[in-house]
Amino acid sequence: MPADVSMPAPAQQGIESYELHGRCLKVQTDDGLGVAGVFWPAQEPCARVAADLLQRLRCHQAVPAEGIDFLELGAGCGALACSFAKEPALKRVIASDLPDVVPLMTENSRLNGAEIECVPLPFGDLPALEQLTLGPARVVVACEVLYWGGWNIFEDDTREPLAETLAAALAAPLAAAVLAAVIRDPPREMQALEMLKEKGVQSFQQMPASGAPKVGELGIWLLQRHGAQLLEELGLLVHSPS
């Protein structure tokens, strides 16, 4: 049976081993951080799509010789970013999340000998994003950042600031993103795509192959700024934009 990507691995304090992007990783978890402190199974299919995007982008004639920047938003434990740390096409690998989560990402980079930058970057903090001084060629990944457990109705809705951050991160000539989320509340999660569209970001569904993802299914979209031609140039526009 295929792995269940709808729920994170059980949160507990300790070190677990996971296969991700063809690498065996040691992952420290922290139940004190809630959903930010665990390993999400959806990271594996998300990493496959990101790896395909990266391999195609590295062959683009306009990519500078110094390479491509990789930025993960809402990186949590940092496992996905760590799995890309040794990609030769990448100039920098950056894992970002809330300030309280940075120590966990830093510890996991140490455990795996992964040379990644672990930085605080709350969604919507565009000055912090600008301070990263990303290069013109970028792969941005946002995996399971639409998750909402309904634990506190008074917490801020992160979809709008997430859309702002993704739009800003994609404001480069050779920038594309991968957004992955298991569908738990279809109206909420599909509305996030509309928010991206309002910010000038196009989304192209990669999974499932046809039809909108249903409850419990993993949805993966490629993103680019409206009017950009990069995904078409890379041969990745199989599905119509959302």
Side-chain angles (χ1 to χ4, degrees):
M1 295 179 63
D4 181 6
V5 297
S6 64
M7 294 300 295
Q12 56 186 0
Q13 193 78 31
I15 298 175
E16 302 288 338
S17 295
Y18 295 98
E19 289 284 341
L20 183 60
H21 185 39
R23 293 172 171 81
C24 183
L25 298 177
K26 297 177 181 178
V27 180
Q28 173 82 49
T29 57
D30 185 349
D31 56 359
L33 294 173
V35 295
V38 297
F39 179 89
W40 289 87
Q43 289 176 311
E44 175 57 36
C46 179
R48 289 198 299 268
V49 175
D52 181 49
L53 171 60
L54 173 62
Q55 294 309 314
R56 292 170 185 259
L57 181 57
R58 70 184 297 186
C59 297
H60 195 287
Q61 60 182 4
V63 170
E66 59 266 27
I68 300 165
D69 287 337
F70 183 100
L71 170 64
E72 184 181 6
L73 301 174
C77 67
L80 194 151
C82 286
S83 74
F84 279 84
K86 296 182 180 180
E87 286 286 348
L90 293 175
K91 177 180 61 174
R92 300 167 68 193
V93 177
I94 305 167
S96 68
D97 210 308
L98 296 172
D100 289 349
V101 186
V102 172
L104 179 62
M105 296 189 297
T106 302
E107 174 61 13
N108 281 322
S109 67
R110 185 194 67 80
L111 284 172
N112 293 283
E115 295 184 4
I116 67 173
E117 301 171 44
C118 301
V119 302
L121 179 58
F123 298 155
D125 190 344
L126 301 189
L129 175 64
E130 186 175 355
Q131 288 177 6
L132 294 178
T133 60
L134 299 174
R138 312 171 183 177
V139 171
V140 182
V141 176
C143 182
E144 287 287 37
V145 292
L146 301 181
Y147 181 79
W148 174 250
W151 47 81
N152 187 342
I153 63 173
F154 299 105
E155 287 189 357
D156 292 336
D157 190 334
T158 59
R159 293 174 302 167
E160 187 76 21
L162 170 63
E164 293 175 352
T165 304
L166 280 167
L170 290 170
L174 297 170
V178 180
L179 174 66
V182 171
I183 302 303
R184 300 174 177 87
D185 183 350
R188 171 187 166 80
E189 287 135 1
M190 292 301 101
Q191 189 180 28
L193 298 180
E194 289 301 315
M195 292 178 177
L196 285 167
K197 187 175 182 179
E198 292 171 1
K199 304 294 183 186
V201 176
Q202 291 178 297
S203 58
F204 300 86
Q205 184 175 306
Q206 305 300 296
M207 291 180 60
S210 62
K214 301 175 182 177
V215 173
E217 287 187 324
L218 175 65
I220 298 183
W221 297 266
L222 289 174
L223 310 177
Q224 68 177 8
R225 289 299 295 262
H226 181 73
Q229 302 298 318
L230 180 61
L231 294 178
E232 182 176 3
E233 293 169 359
L234 299 180
L236 286 168
L237 293 193
V238 178
H239 305 292
S240 300
S242 300

